[in-house]
Amino acid sequence: MGIPIIGQSIGMLQAMKTNTGEEWLRERVRKYGPISKLTLFGKPTVNMLANKQPSSIYAILGDHSLFELSGQDHGPENFQEMVEGMWSKPVDLPFTHYNRSLRACSRVQDMLKELVREKKVKLEQHTATPHQDLITYLLSKHNEENERVVTDKEIVHNITLVMIVGHDTSSILITFVLRLLYKNPAVYKAVFLEQEEIARSKTSGEPLTWEDLARMKYTWRVAMETLRIVPLVFGGFRLALRDNDNGGYLIPKGWQSIFPEPSKFDPARFEDQNSVPSYSFIPFGGGPCLCPGNNFVRIETLLCSDDHFIRDPLPIPTQGLLLWIVPKIQE
């Protein structure tokens, strides 16, 4: 199990920062077999089982965010500090990532509480409509007894979650899409021609529609292939809700599990969805754990020489995105 509380957390984080996480996991399999126990972020851990995050994520996002639901439930500087703290050892000491993250989270949530209060007043005064933004929509949800369905605490925790996952994931995906397009001219040309065809069908200043997004089939295949090549998150955590027998190994109730990420870049593999084996590639999850922001990522991604990257904890190019992006000269 390693050093108490710390366990193998430092080794895993170091492997992620040097982009050798897969090798780190393979070495564990070589030494201890396909199923082994370890300690990560203060929790006893094993390979692969309901949705439960490490205590550091729980403390920062709150106990009412979508990350904490199981079964059928379902400012940039502050965000960066919060992300760093979620993937750190949950030791609340001054000058640690975790401590700075908790303080950043407190500042963000204080702002959100005030924002919720203001929007609640506007709803009561009928100066706001339920569908003008996410917070107002959640405030306006009522059951048959005219009781609010979503509490203020749930709203604050889930808006915090939306801001964090929306701040990093889409921007990272777009970064690596551009990188891979630069390195694959034939793929870039196909994307360019698809976007040109859609652009020619629009009048000047006319906004894009859902129908236009549906026409970006090849562009989205490129995004999916990018997610396969560079998964945004190294692995995920789940919690054993009961004792489980896995291949003769007892997985005790309450233990968390971690499972790793998956190499020619080839968007054509997604032309026929039936050719992709079930559950072999689920970048947005599935069932009750389906990512609620999957369509938002699709919109952000479709609208908008160094070959190495590290994970800190999310993937970033080691030298940044070394590309010049220039507007096409109109013919």
Side-chain angles (χ1 to χ4, degrees):
M1 298 298 288
I3 302 172
I5 299 178
I6 295 175
Q8 290 78 16
S9 304
I10 295 176
M12 178 185 177
L13 290 173
Q14 288 176 337
M16 291 173 66
K17 286 192 175 184
T18 56
N19 199 27
T20 57
E22 290 185 51
E23 289 81 357
W24 182 82
L25 286 169
R26 289 195 192 102
E27 180 63 15
R28 286 198 61 83
V29 172
R30 188 188 67 77
K31 284 185 176 180
Y32 309 116
I35 298 180
S36 63
K37 60 184 180 180
L38 64 159
T39 302
L40 285 179
F41 309 114
K43 291 278 289 184
T45 304
V46 72
N47 281 339
M48 280 185 252
L49 302 156
N51 187 26
K52 191 70 176 179
Q53 306 301 319
S55 58
S56 53
I57 296 180
Y58 171 90
I60 293 165
L61 291 182
D63 54 359
H64 286 75
S65 77
L66 290 172
F67 269 176
E68 290 303 312
L69 302 183
S70 300
Q72 296 302 317
D73 298 328
H74 201 44
E77 293 79 11
N78 286 337
F79 299 155
Q80 185 61 38
E81 288 184 359
M82 290 161 73
V83 171
E84 290 176 355
M86 287 191 299
W87 288 87
S88 63
K89 297 177 290 298
V91 179
D92 190 8
L93 294 175
F95 312 114
T96 62
H97 279 312
Y98 184 62
N99 179 269
R100 290 201 303 270
S101 186
L102 288 175
R103 287 186 280 115
C105 178
S106 178
R107 293 194 298 271
V108 169
Q109 294 200 352
D110 284 344
M111 290 187 290
L112 287 175
K113 289 173 184 176
E114 178 61 22
L115 189 58
V116 169
R117 188 193 66 79
E118 292 174 2
K119 291 183 178 293
K120 191 185 300 184
V121 170
K122 290 182 179 180
L123 267 177
E124 293 170 351
Q125 296 175 344
H126 303 289
T127 57
T129 60
H131 297 285
Q132 69 180 37
D133 57 60
L134 180 57
I135 294 179
T136 307
Y137 174 76
L138 293 174
L139 283 170
S140 66
K141 296 295 291 181
H142 290 75
N143 59 21
E144 295 178 355
E145 286 73 37
N146 201 33
E147 299 169 328
R148 279 184 52 197
V149 175
V150 188
T151 66
D152 287 2
K153 186 176 184 180
E154 289 172 327
I155 293 175
V156 169
H157 287 180
N158 282 287
I159 295 300
T160 304
L161 169 64
V162 168
M163 289 192 300
I164 291 176
V165 299
H167 179 257
D168 285 305
T169 51
S170 297
S171 60
I172 292 171
L173 175 56
I174 293 170
T175 296
F176 282 91
V177 164
L178 291 174
R179 237 172 57 126
L180 289 166
L181 287 179
Y182 171 74
K183 292 160 53 180
N184 295 269
V187 175
Y188 165 74
K189 183 177 180 180
V191 169
F192 180 82
L193 291 175
E194 182 175 75
Q195 296 297 319
E196 278 282 279
E197 181 181 355
I198 294 171
R200 284 195 297 268
S201 69
K202 313 293 288 186
T203 60
S204 178
E206 181 183 357
L208 291 169
T209 64
W210 281 107
E211 289 72 22
D212 296 322
L213 291 177
R215 294 166 62 189
M216 299 181 189
K217 291 183 172 59
Y218 186 78
T219 308
W220 186 241
R221 288 201 291 269
V222 170
M224 296 289 282
E225 178 70 346
T226 302
L227 285 172
R228 190 188 69 83
I229 294 287
V230 187
L232 302 184
V233 179
F234 174 75
F237 291 91
R238 295 293 182 265
L239 185 74
L241 297 179
R242 60 188 67 84
D243 288 349
N244 287 268
D245 182 274
N246 191 325
Y249 294 89
L250 173 66
I251 311 301
K253 176 183 177 180
W255 279 41
Q256 70 182 9
S257 65
I258 182 171
F259 50 92
E261 62 183 348
S263 194
K264 179 185 174 184
F265 183 70
D266 182 17
R269 74 178 76 250
F270 294 102
E271 286 182 8
D272 181 9
Q273 289 296 322
N274 295 325
S275 67
V276 180
S278 298
Y279 306 112
S280 66
F281 180 69
I282 46 174
F284 298 106
C289 293
L290 179 67
C291 172
N294 61 333
N295 283 324
F296 179 67
V297 170
R298 190 184 188 109
I299 292 172
E300 285 203 313
T301 302
L302 294 177
L303 299 183
C304 57
S305 65
D306 168 55
D307 192 32
H308 301 283
F309 66 91
I310 62 173
R311 293 183 177 274
D312 193 26
L314 301 177
I316 55 173
T318 52
Q319 296 184 26
L321 183 61
L322 304 180
L323 295 178
W324 284 102
I325 301 176
V326 297
K328 176 180 177 292
I329 299 175
Q330 296 297 323
E331 299 176 354

